[in-house]
Each structure stands twice: as structure tokens, then as C-alpha cells.
Amino acid sequence: MGEASSARPNPTACLLVIGNEVLSGRTQDANIQYLGRRLGEIGIPLREVRVIPDVAEVIIDTVNEVRARFNQVFTTGGIGPTHDDITSECVAAAFGVAWEPHAEARARLERHYKPGEFNAARQRMATMPRGAVLIDNPISIAPGFSLGNVHVMAGIPRVMQAMFEALAPRLAGGAPVLSRAVHATGLPEGRIAEGLAAIQARYPGLDLGSYPYYRLNGSGVAIVAKGTDAAAVAAAIAEVGALMAGLGATAVAGEPPV
């Protein structure tokens, strides 16, 4: 049984994680998992993630490269008030537009701060590429923005998540990416590899991932099927379960317990 081909492929997404602190190991990124899951749910699978430094030419070149390759590009980090928060001005340079005060963003921030506290540093957070459309920030007021297919958000996970949820209704997605898993304790990954490859060949429109796990009560392998065709996902994971049983293992639906 093979997977029926989709009439129209889903749009694709790329994430740029911007910040020297991530590359140095000082900060552990917590946004990739959230965005990967949420984008899959709205049918814009995340196909690539890059972690890049706070270096203007790198940001500009990378934004221009990926916005031409992917339907949607998301950036996290580098939109605060300090000297190394340069994402906004780099996106302006990538698009070849002016980086200038955004009237609505400035008005929001002026209302938020007490008189005299909306200083030059904070005014940077209201300076954006010409033509930017704001992404609301219900957590800390300072908005993100969209320009074309590039969406610029904060790096702080709680703030980024709130921004993404404000943005999500504006994104044109496709069929949701569905996921089913099965696991077997005591089954080495190498024993299932050949049979799994044959199942993958029968379902070219799905992603079949093999993930060995190690627990106090034993090791094993989990197989995850992902795709937009619910019937194909269910059929493929059923075949994997049968393969595991044929190798003498007990196939258990779902991911292995932590």
C-alpha cells in the first residue's frame, strides 16, 4: 500500500536563530522545538534551521538566501534595545528599504513607558524596515514585525511564543503534519533498519524516523511516521509494528516513556 500523492505541496519554512550567545553556548535555544511543532500543526513544515552570529553581513546574506528558497522565514533574537540587537536593521538592508521609526510601534512604546523613560535605546525597538507589518507582543509590548515572507520575533521563548501565536492566523498553511509513533524495548535499531527502509520506499511521501532510546528498564527503538496523509501515516506505522513483531519484539503504540 503506498501513499496517495498530495495535489498541492505544503509551504515550507526556515528558522534563523540569531545570537552570539547561542553559538557560544551561554544560552540554550528553546524555540526550535516549539516552532517545529506549531508550524507542523498549521501545515508549514520547518525544513531548515540555522544558528548565525550577530554579524550584519552574515544576517543580511542569510536572510536573502533563505527568503528566496522557503515560503516563510522566521527569525528569533536580536530585536532588543542594545547595540548588538541588529536583526531589524539587517532585514531592512536585505530588502533594500529604509530602516526608520515605525509610527504605530513608537506610539505603543511611548504609551507603555513613563515620561522620560522612552530613551534612545528603547526607541531602537520602534525602528523597523519601511513597510513592516507589526507582530503583536502581549508579554513585553515591543512588537516584532513581518516584511514580505520574513517574520522577525524575539529570542526569549515566552515572548517568542506569544508573538508567534499572534502571527499564526496571518500565515497561509497547508495540510497539518500528522505524527504516529511505535516503539519496542529490546529491539536494536540495526535489526529493524532493512525492513524499515523497505517501508519507507513504499511511502515516499512520509518521513519515517528511527530513534534509539536508553532507559533504566532497557533500551530499544522508536519509529515515528510523519506526513499529511492520515491514512498513509496510520498504514505505515501499522507496518512498522508488524515488522517489530516479526522480529520477536513487542510493538507498543506511542513514544517510549521517559
Side-chain angles (χ1 to χ4, degrees), residues 48-257:
E48 190 170 306
V49 177
R50 298 193 191 184
V51 184
I52 59 176
D54 298 305
V55 176
E57 55 267 33
V58 175
I59 298 172
I60 294 166
D61 290 347
T62 306
V63 166
N64 276 332
E65 177 191 345
V66 298
R67 72 186 178 97
R69 291 179 50 213
F70 298 91
N71 300 103
Q72 306 289 352
V73 175
F74 302 86
T75 78
T76 60
I79 59 171
T82 60
H83 71 281
D84 57 346
D85 290 316
I86 60 173
T87 299
S88 177
E89 57 200 273
C90 289
V91 170
F95 277 82
V97 299
W99 187 59
E100 61 190 13
H102 189 287
E104 176 58 25
R106 187 178 179 93
R108 292 184 189 185
L109 289 166
E110 284 181 328
R111 289 193 298 267
H112 174 72
Y113 289 108
K114 296 177 182 178
E117 290 186 354
F118 188 44
N119 56 31
R122 287 168 169 161
Q123 289 171 26
R124 286 178 56 83
M125 297 188 293
T127 308
M128 298 178 178
R130 181 175 294 172
V133 177
L134 297 186
I135 301 173
D136 291 339
N137 174 6
I139 303 298
S140 58
I141 302 301
F145 66 86
S146 298
L147 188 64
N149 65 334
V150 177
H151 312 285
V152 177
M153 301 181 292
I156 299 170
R158 182 165 172 259
V159 179
M160 185 283 298
Q161 292 172 21
M163 284 185 172
F164 180 80
E165 295 308 326
L167 170 66
R170 304 204 310 245
L171 299 172
V177 178
L178 308 171
S179 177
R180 292 277 296 273
V182 64
H183 70 277
T185 299
L187 180 63
E189 187 179 34
R191 287 195 64 204
I192 202 172
E194 185 176 352
L196 185 64
I199 296 172
Q200 177 69 88
R202 289 194 290 275
Y203 296 89
L206 300 184
D207 291 326
L208 288 181
S210 176
Y211 307 101
Y213 61 87
Y214 304 90
R215 303 288 190 270
L216 291 176
N217 63 342
S219 60
V221 63
I223 306 300
V224 179
K226 290 186 177 182
T228 58
D229 185 324
V233 170
I237 213 68
E239 289 193 29
V240 173
L243 172 64
M244 289 174 165
L247 294 171
T250 300
V252 180
E255 298 274 7

